[in-house]
Amino acid sequence: MQKDSKPDIFIISTNNWNGFWFQRQEFACRFAQEGYRVFYINKIPQRIPSFKSLIRFIKTKIQNDTIKNDIPKNVIVLTPFFLPPLFIFKVINYVFALLFVYSIKSKFKIKNLFFITYQPSYIVLHMISQLKPDKIIYVNTHNYNSDPTCPKILFQSEQILVSLSHVLLADSLYNQKRLEKCNPSIPVGRAMPGVNISHFLRSYRGDEIERKKTIYFFGDIGKHLDIELYNKAAEEFKVYLIGIINNEIAHLISSKITILPPVSPSNLPDILRGADILTIWYKKSDYVDGILPAKFFECLATQKPLFISGLNEALLYSDAVYNIDGSYIHFKEIIRNLENLETIEKREKRIRYAKEADWSVRYNQFKSNIGIC
């Protein structure tokens, strides 16, 4: 494809540019490096608002704003204003979408547009109707069916989006099956989380299994976390949680647990050097069934022992991780035998899975899926 024929890339994200690093920012950067012009749209509302969610939104924004991610050449980051996608706001949101798209068209000559959206609200449908993209790609990374904070109209919008899309992708097997039920006539591909493997390799020290004193988790500290497991671990180990705490569970966290603020993607591997054990301990639920967190492959790339719980999507990698299935007793049994269980072969499997998930591999798979050579 010649440079002057490259399509514009429009990405509707579920997270802001600043803050934790996800597939959305990574792919935007890689498209830009290859000469594509990328419009990156910061997170727009998709949930039912509440006082608690408003407090969390403000708190998250303040903390995420402390993590400034560089914006490369060819990436244009935009932050439109919309109200939550409730039925009563449909008309006013249509007007906001009209003004937003008009502002873009008045500044930029849009050409051969590839519209990639990670959320399915009617606000997105408004933008599609006005931008008239050449190709619509929907990447499902959220189990909306099991999220009570999502308005019913969002499910209707998702059905319409699925019917309009030229390409359907999902991050997890669970979400892949969700989309297949929505539109059996279109094959659903995968757009799995990835990792900058060389970045996280520097977290490994080599003496983790001999020390086995510190337990780390990084990411959203919310209701999906099995706080009870972490509290039990804090009685015998040094436990560190890195991220933003959901106010609804703050009072449940043991005072023996150390909370660290979120850090930039470039600094995270250095922080993780202090970890002997990495964990992703979630509570089993219909919602969690659809999750394969981005941090999973980042943890694998550190080579450190990784303990999971409640993550059905990660069971495919059971030969490289330890599944404690909600049992602290099982965790202690594995820890006692860790020097025998933690073989070179097990560590090599982590590296192999991480290499398969390297962003360069994921990006090339994504380009192939959406029809860019």
Side-chain angles (χ1 to χ4, degrees), residues 100-117:
F100 175 58
V101 171
Y102 176 78
S103 69
I104 293 174
K105 287 183 173 180
S106 64
K107 294 178 183 177
F108 307 98
K109 184 179 179 181
I110 305 295
K111 54 184 180 181
N112 191 23
L113 182 63
F114 274 45
F115 188 97
I116 303 169
T117 180

Side-chain angles (χ1 to χ4, degrees), residues 256-311:
K256 295 182 179 180
I257 292 177
T258 301
I259 306 296
L260 299 176
V263 296
S264 67
S266 59
N267 291 333
L268 181 58
D270 296 323
I271 299 296
L272 295 181
R273 275 189 66 82
D276 299 326
I277 304 293
L278 293 178
T279 61
I280 307 175
W281 292 345
Y282 287 176
K283 291 188 291 187
K284 282 189 176 180
S285 68
D286 290 340
Y287 174 69
V288 169
D289 279 346
I291 293 178
L292 181 60
K295 68 178 70 67
F296 178 75
F297 294 102
E298 293 170 343
C299 289
L300 290 181
T302 68
Q303 304 181 67
K304 296 173 185 284
L306 172 59
F307 287 74
I308 63 169
S309 183
L311 273 181

Side-chain angles (χ1 to χ4, degrees), residues 82-194:
F82 291 101
L83 295 173
L86 303 177
F87 183 80
I88 58 172
F89 297 139
K90 195 168 185 179
V91 173
I92 188 65
N93 275 328
Y94 178 81
V95 174
F96 287 148
L98 192 67
L99 293 172
F100 175 58
V101 171
Y102 176 78
S103 69
I104 293 174
K105 287 183 173 180
S106 64
K107 294 178 183 177
F108 307 98
K109 184 179 179 181
I110 305 295
K111 54 184 180 181
N112 191 23
L113 182 63
F114 274 45
F115 188 97
I116 303 169
T117 180
Y118 286 81
Q119 61 167 280
S121 73
Y122 69 68
I123 296 172
V124 173
L125 297 179
H126 287 336
M127 285 193 266
I128 288 173
S129 69
Q130 292 158 31
L131 284 167
K132 296 179 172 50
D134 295 86
K135 184 171 281 191
I136 301 168
I137 299 102
Y138 174 38
V139 185
N140 178 213
T141 61
H142 194 86
N143 179 10
Y144 294 104
N145 300 76
S146 300
D147 187 346
T149 67
C150 292
K152 290 182 179 179
I153 195 172
L154 186 123
F155 304 118
Q156 300 167 12
S157 301
E158 185 177 41
Q159 289 286 345
I160 296 171
L161 177 62
V162 168
S163 68
L164 292 174
S165 295
H166 302 92
V167 179
L168 295 174
L169 301 170
D171 63 336
S172 66
L173 284 170
Y174 187 97
N175 286 332
Q176 184 179 31
K177 291 175 182 177
R178 277 190 72 248
L179 292 188
E180 287 172 346
K181 290 178 181 177
C182 291
N183 191 347
S185 64
I186 299 180
V188 181
R190 297 291 298 278
M192 296 174 67

Side-chain angles (χ1 to χ4, degrees), residues 160-350:
I160 296 171
L161 177 62
V162 168
S163 68
L164 292 174
S165 295
H166 302 92
V167 179
L168 295 174
L169 301 170
D171 63 336
S172 66
L173 284 170
Y174 187 97
N175 286 332
Q176 184 179 31
K177 291 175 182 177
R178 277 190 72 248
L179 292 188
E180 287 172 346
K181 290 178 181 177
C182 291
N183 191 347
S185 64
I186 299 180
V188 181
R190 297 291 298 278
M192 296 174 67
V195 59
N196 183 336
I197 187 169
S198 61
H199 206 53
F200 283 88
L201 281 174
R202 70 175 191 257
S203 297
Y204 186 66
R205 301 188 318 267
D207 63 343
E208 282 84 352
I209 60 174
E210 288 81 20
R211 283 208 337 166
K212 51 187 179 184
K213 293 178 180 178
T214 57
I215 295 174
Y216 277 56
F217 167 84
F218 62 94
D220 184 39
I221 306 170
K223 292 187 290 185
H224 57 290
L225 271 195
D226 194 332
I227 297 299
E228 185 178 347
L229 266 181
Y230 283 105
N231 286 345
K232 287 179 180 178
E235 295 297 320
E236 302 181 70
F237 300 87
K238 293 180 180 179
V239 177
Y240 297 84
L241 304 182
I242 305 170
I244 300 169
I245 303 176
N246 186 321
N247 288 333
E248 293 183 48
I249 58 97
H251 67 286
L252 301 175
I253 299 175
S254 168
S255 60
K256 295 182 179 180
I257 292 177
T258 301
I259 306 296
L260 299 176
V263 296
S264 67
S266 59
N267 291 333
L268 181 58
D270 296 323
I271 299 296
L272 295 181
R273 275 189 66 82
D276 299 326
I277 304 293
L278 293 178
T279 61
I280 307 175
W281 292 345
Y282 287 176
K283 291 188 291 187
K284 282 189 176 180
S285 68
D286 290 340
Y287 174 69
V288 169
D289 279 346
I291 293 178
L292 181 60
K295 68 178 70 67
F296 178 75
F297 294 102
E298 293 170 343
C299 289
L300 290 181
T302 68
Q303 304 181 67
K304 296 173 185 284
L306 172 59
F307 287 74
I308 63 169
S309 183
L311 273 181
N312 287 342
E313 288 282 336
L315 296 181
L316 290 171
Y317 306 92
S318 294
D319 55 351
V321 302
Y322 302 99
N323 178 27
I324 65 170
D325 198 23
S327 170
Y328 183 69
I329 293 174
H330 188 33
F331 169 70
K332 285 295 299 295
E333 289 172 351
I334 296 173
I335 287 293
R336 278 194 292 269
N337 295 304
L338 193 60
E339 291 184 22
N340 296 322
L341 296 170
E342 191 63 9
T343 61
I344 294 175
E345 290 76 20
K346 202 174 192 78
R347 203 168 76 242
E348 286 177 345
K349 284 177 181 176
R350 289 188 200 120

Side-chain angles (χ1 to χ4, degrees), residues 30 335 367:
R30 289 180 180 269
I335 287 293
K367 284 203 304 179

